[in-house]
């Protein structure tokens, strides 16, 4: 599948994702700190990066996929929004300058498959943050991984895109393998193209993540859940961390 087709599918399936919620979260945290220079890690096709830029932030986006970045740049150009974009692995960030705020949202950190990559990401974020800079990110909770995803099947049937999404236990604790089969309409022929993908996600206990953060030079300012300002419960689904570089 070409990147145009893949990005179309990605944005189509993500159209109900709460990007405005992440923007509001950043604004709530940033109001307590000075500085508007943001590094948006795992920016994908740029939906949050563009919102941040339109809200007055000086934004740089980073993603592993050059195809996604190409689409993000096309969107920025079409909207006359200035953002910088770089292709890098979040666990190997290098030479991107210093920022006031660094974000990793939409559970992107959960795509790192082992603990060393998570810690390497935290180290890279620390290197690229100014003193007292903010590190904001979210992860899936253990409850969501083990009770909502595990051994479940989700489906969508729509006019142009349909999918079957099967979730299976991963090979390590608190991990899930997502097997996705897409059926995407070719507008010229009216026929449907079948595309298969495998996504792996893993999460960790909150206390373990806090330990890694503190061991890599961060103070944890607050931990909240599900786009609220409330502390996580045993049934929270998305855990938010707001941290400051020591």
């Amino acid at each position: 599948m070409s990147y145009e087709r893949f990005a179309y599918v990605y944005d189509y399936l993500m159209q109900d994702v709460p990007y405005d919620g992440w923007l509001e979260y950043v604004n709530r945290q940033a109001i307590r700190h000075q500085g508007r220079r943001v590094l948006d890690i795992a920016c994908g096709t740029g939906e949050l990066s563009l919102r941040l830029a339109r809200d007055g932030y000086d934004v740089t986006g980073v993603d592993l996929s050059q195809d996604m970045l190409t689409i993000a740049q096309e969107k920025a150009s079409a909207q006359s929004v200035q953002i910088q974009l770089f292709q890098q692995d979040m666990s190997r960030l290098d030479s991107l300058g210093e920022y006031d705020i660094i974000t990793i949202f939409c559970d992107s950190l959960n795509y790192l498959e082992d603990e060393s990559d998570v810690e390497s990401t935290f180290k890279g974020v620390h290197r690229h943050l100014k003193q007292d800079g903010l590190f904001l990110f979210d992860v899936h909770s253990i409850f969501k991984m083990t009770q909502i995803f595990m051994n479940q099947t989700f489906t969508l049937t729509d006019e142009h895109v349909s999918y079957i999404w099967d979730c299976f236990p991963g090979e390590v604790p608190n991990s899930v393998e997502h097997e996705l089969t897409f059926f995407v309409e070719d507008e010229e022929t009216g026929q449907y193209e079948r595309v298969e993908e495998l996504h792996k996600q893993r999460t960790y206990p909150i206390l373990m993540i806090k330990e890694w953060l503190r061991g890599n030079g961060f103070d944890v300012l607050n931990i909240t859940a599900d786009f609220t300002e409330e502390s996580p419960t045993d049934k929270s689904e998305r855990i938010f961390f707001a941290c400051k570089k020591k």
Side-chain angles (χ1 to χ4, degrees), residues 199-244:
H199 292 246
K200 297 181 180 181
Q201 287 192 305
R202 181 181 186 183
T203 200
Y204 302 93
I206 290 174
L207 288 177
M208 186 176 291
I209 296 173
K210 287 174 64 176
E211 180 180 332
W212 292 337
L213 287 164
R214 289 169 176 161
N216 286 287
F218 293 98
D219 285 327
V220 179
L221 301 176
N222 57 71
I223 301 173
T224 56
D226 299 328
F227 295 96
T228 73
E229 297 191 48
E230 302 298 320
S231 298
T233 69
D234 58 1
K235 292 189 177 180
S236 298
E237 297 183 23
R238 186 178 298 277
I239 312 301
F240 286 78
F241 292 78
C243 314
K244 182 175 73 171

Side-chain angles (χ1 to χ4, degrees), residues 98-149:
E98 285 192 330
Y99 296 85
D100 304 298
I101 303 169
I102 295 181
T103 64
I104 308 178
F105 288 131
C106 199
D107 50 86
S108 297
L109 202 68
N110 291 126
Y111 283 92
L112 299 176
E113 293 188 33
D114 60 59
E115 300 174 11
S116 63
D117 284 341
V118 177
E119 287 211 75
S120 178
T121 298
F122 289 169
K123 287 182 173 69
V125 168
H126 191 273
R127 287 195 306 271
H128 288 84
L129 268 178
K130 294 179 180 178
Q131 193 65 34
D132 295 327
L134 288 177
F135 176 29
L136 310 175
F137 67 95
D138 66 22
V139 295
H140 285 318
S141 68
I142 290 177
F143 171 78
K144 186 168 187 178
M145 296 286 272
T146 60
Q147 303 299 316
I148 295 179
F149 283 146

Side-chain angles (χ1 to χ4, degrees), residues 21-238:
W22 283 302
L23 176 62
E24 292 170 7
Y25 177 77
V26 172
N27 284 334
R28 287 201 306 271
Q29 302 300 324
I31 199 170
R32 305 170 189 148
H33 299 270
Q34 294 183 346
R36 306 285 286 182
R37 193 159 188 248
V38 177
L39 179 64
D40 183 22
I41 297 173
C43 67
T45 61
E47 286 296 318
L48 178 59
S49 295
L50 292 168
R51 283 170 169 78
L52 288 164
R54 290 196 298 267
D55 223 35
Y57 293 92
D58 178 5
V59 181
T60 297
V62 172
D63 200 88
L64 184 62
S65 169
Q66 184 59 55
D67 293 344
M68 291 288 192
L69 293 173
T70 299
I71 297 300
Q73 186 58 65
E74 290 176 355
K75 289 180 181 179
S77 298
Q79 298 175 29
S80 299
V81 174
Q82 295 295 318
I83 57 175
Q84 295 189 82
L85 297 168
F86 296 95
Q87 181 186 17
Q88 288 196 17
D89 183 329
M90 75 171 77
S91 65
R92 294 168 177 79
L93 298 174
D94 184 54
S95 303
L96 293 168
E98 285 192 330
Y99 296 85
D100 304 298
I101 303 169
I102 295 181
T103 64
I104 308 178
F105 288 131
C106 199
D107 50 86
S108 297
L109 202 68
N110 291 126
Y111 283 92
L112 299 176
E113 293 188 33
D114 60 59
E115 300 174 11
S116 63
D117 284 341
V118 177
E119 287 211 75
S120 178
T121 298
F122 289 169
K123 287 182 173 69
V125 168
H126 191 273
R127 287 195 306 271
H128 288 84
L129 268 178
K130 294 179 180 178
Q131 193 65 34
D132 295 327
L134 288 177
F135 176 29
L136 310 175
F137 67 95
D138 66 22
V139 295
H140 285 318
S141 68
I142 290 177
F143 171 78
K144 186 168 187 178
M145 296 286 272
T146 60
Q147 303 299 316
I148 295 179
F149 283 146
M150 203 69 73
N151 295 314
Q152 296 296 314
T153 296
F154 306 94
T155 61
L156 169 72
T157 301
D158 209 358
E159 182 178 358
H160 304 292
V161 179
S162 299
Y163 69 71
I164 302 170
W165 169 11
D166 292 313
C167 304
F168 301 99
E171 297 177 356
V172 294
N174 303 317
S175 68
V176 173
E177 296 188 3
H178 307 280
E179 291 186 358
L180 297 106
T181 303
F182 298 98
F183 300 91
V184 185
E185 183 185 22
D186 185 315
E187 294 180 357
E188 294 183 359
T189 66
Q191 297 183 340
Y192 285 81
E193 178 183 2
R194 176 172 175 155
V195 180
E196 295 181 347
E197 292 193 10
L198 175 65
H199 292 246
K200 297 181 180 181
Q201 287 192 305
R202 181 181 186 183
T203 200
Y204 302 93
I206 290 174
L207 288 177
M208 186 176 291
I209 296 173
K210 287 174 64 176
E211 180 180 332
W212 292 337
L213 287 164
R214 289 169 176 161
N216 286 287
F218 293 98
D219 285 327
V220 179
L221 301 176
N222 57 71
I223 301 173
T224 56
D226 299 328
F227 295 96
T228 73
E229 297 191 48
E230 302 298 320
S231 298
T233 69
D234 58 1
K235 292 189 177 180
S236 298
E237 297 183 23
R238 186 178 298 277

